Amino acid sequence: MPEAKVTLTVNGVQHTIDIEARLTLAGALRDELGLTGTKIGCDRGECGACTVLADGRRINACTALAVMQDGRELTTVEGLAAEDGTLHPVQEAFVRHDAFQCGYCTPGQLLSAVACIAEGHTGDDDEIREWMSGNLCRCAAYPQIVAAVRDAARRTGETAARDA
């Protein structure tokens, strides 16, 4: 199988690895780098459990080839909290609103919520639901997730920045 050398900067740490050219980003993160916070749910980009940020934009890591991410800045759930353990505002809001459920979809939900807020899609609950619709939760925590995204957006001032 053809191999490729790629450099992935994940959560601020640069990794240069030799991988099979057909390896997905989710596979590279989990199997090559040991970052198992990225979950593989449907393995075809439908459930969003594998959502990570690539240069600040959300992508489904199960359908993205790792070689195509060469040189990009990637953020996984392991990279959200500060080094001292302080939770990211979205993580705090998920705790505050009991939006964490079984933990399988939560990493993807968190990263999608970070992107939703950064993209300014938090004008109202319908907008949040629409822009979070790529992430499915079998535990049906959607009301709590929407409340957490709204709360985190308000606390971080992203909604105000978008409307200014």
Side-chain angles (χ1 to χ4, degrees):
M1 186 59 55
E3 292 216 354
K5 182 180 293 286
V6 297
T7 300
L8 304 174
T9 302
V10 185
N11 304 326
V13 178
Q14 192 174 55
H15 305 269
T16 299
I17 54 176
D18 292 313
I19 57 172
E20 287 188 22
R22 66 180 181 167
L23 185 64
T24 65
L25 178 58
L29 292 170
R30 292 179 58 81
D31 301 334
E32 300 296 325
L33 302 180
L35 297 169
T36 57
T38 301
K39 305 300 184 210
I40 300 173
C42 67
D43 207 15
R44 56 183 182 219
E46 293 178 357
C47 74
C50 64
T51 302
V52 299
L53 303 180
D55 294 334
R57 301 182 59 96
R58 50 188 142 175
I59 64 170
N60 290 322
C62 75
T63 59
L65 294 175
V67 295
M68 296 177 73
Q69 310 311 313
D70 189 39
R72 297 180 84 180
E73 295 280 336
L74 302 167
T75 303
T76 68
V77 71
E78 291 93 342
L80 284 183
E83 286 186 27
D84 68 358
T86 302
L87 295 179
H88 184 281
V90 169
Q91 291 172 307
E92 289 178 354
F94 268 59
V95 170
R96 201 170 22 259
H97 292 277
D98 195 25
F100 289 111
Q101 296 296 314
C102 73
Y104 208 80
C105 70
T106 298
Q109 295 276 0
L110 287 167
L111 289 159
S112 196
V114 169
C116 182
I117 293 167
E119 294 162 1
H121 299 297
T122 58
D124 59 34
D125 288 357
D126 287 341
E127 186 178 15
I128 293 169
R129 276 192 284 277
E130 174 68 22
W131 286 91
M132 293 293 294
S133 65
N135 294 76
L136 303 177
C137 174
R138 283 177 253 176
C139 302
Y142 295 115
Q144 297 99 312
I145 292 169
V146 169
V149 172
R150 181 179 354 98
D151 183 27
R154 183 181 55 79
R155 290 176 184 265
T156 60
E158 293 293 337
T159 301
R162 182 202 63 188
D163 294 339

